[in-house]
Amino acid sequence: MLAELQHYQQKDKTAQQQYFAYKAQAWLNYAIHKDSMNSRSPAGLEAAKSAEAILQALKKGSENDLVLIQDISASSALMRPDLWATLSALKDSGGIASAPREIAFSEVALIWAATDQCEHNSRQAGSQFRMADRWLEQAREAFVNAHDSKENVALEGLIVRYYEQYSPFDASGDRCNGQVLPTLDQM
């Protein structure tokens, strides 16, 4: 599966194809990790199914039918609304064109971290949150370097608007039952 996904990660593919191929790779990495830990959680199976669904969409050329703002599964929660706000704002601003890999990896890392926190209430989630933060920082830097100051100011404003919407959903209080993430036009 990884070899098939690499085909869609090449520079001759659209940024959206690259983004989804990297996202499928990240889901596959998560599924492999869960399997290697002999996890009984449904999260690993969900991750494998997500990777497979994305790969099938890429093969059919129907990646435009995949959603860019993914809901958070029932085994996870919205934690770190600051990072989710940055992720959503980058997606809405066309940041995928600047950093498809970084955005895809950060998104899955955020879900991975929250799922680990929900399942184990462990400190291991901290390393995944830090990883997501690093990926997002790289994506943000790529966006800033590729756009003018007006677009960068607009991105910052969008991050604030998303944060204001997402912060009430923060599940730091261990409410791990998923989350539908509204887009700004739904708010």
Side-chain angles (χ1 to χ4, degrees):
M1 214 170 152
L2 286 173
E4 289 180 281
L5 289 169
Q6 285 178 344
H7 170 73
Y8 298 99
Q9 295 170 346
Q10 303 305 309
K11 295 292 181 196
D12 65 331
K13 302 299 179 198
T14 68
Q16 191 163 348
Q17 287 172 317
Q18 291 175 47
Y19 161 75
F20 281 117
Y22 283 119
K23 188 172 178 179
Q25 178 184 340
W27 280 126
L28 197 55
N29 290 344
Y30 181 48
I32 291 167
H33 169 76
K34 284 299 210 183
D35 187 55
S36 72
M37 302 295 288
N38 293 322
S39 172
R40 297 186 189 273
S41 158
L45 183 57
E46 289 173 18
K49 286 180 181 178
S50 293
E52 180 64 31
I54 292 170
L55 178 57
Q56 292 309 314
L58 287 167
K59 285 180 175 181
K60 292 177 188 173
S62 60
E63 63 275 354
N64 291 333
D65 295 340
L66 298 170
V67 294
L68 280 181
I69 304 289
Q70 176 178 340
D71 294 336
I72 299 170
S73 70
S75 62
S76 191
L78 188 147
M79 296 180 186
R80 293 294 310 264
D82 57 325
L83 298 179
W84 278 104
T86 301
L87 176 67
S88 294
L90 281 166
K91 286 181 176 183
D92 276 1
S93 301
I96 288 175
S98 305
R101 180 182 65 141
E102 292 79 0
I103 290 176
F105 285 178
S106 66
E107 183 173 8
V108 173
L110 279 171
I111 295 171
W112 183 339
T115 301
D116 282 355
Q117 182 70 30
C118 288
E119 289 177 353
H120 308 293
N121 197 17
S122 74
R123 296 173 205 253
Q124 292 175 329
S127 65
Q128 290 300 325
F129 282 124
R130 286 188 298 278
M131 187 181 308
D133 191 15
R134 284 191 301 271
W135 284 118
L136 279 172
E137 201 50 48
Q138 290 175 14
R140 196 173 183 170
E141 183 178 332
F143 182 91
V144 166
N145 291 336
H147 294 84
D148 64 25
S149 60
K150 183 179 176 182
E151 291 167 311
N152 289 322
V153 169
L155 174 68
E156 294 305 313
L158 201 53
I159 291 170
V160 169
R161 288 179 59 205
Y162 267 115
Y163 180 75
E164 289 168 350
Q165 285 301 133
Y166 290 169
S167 60
F169 300 138
D170 186 358
S172 298
D174 293 331
R175 289 187 348 241
C176 298
N177 54 4
Q179 181 65 52
V180 174
L181 293 178
T183 58
L184 283 180
D185 60 356
Q186 296 172 326
M187 298 180 207

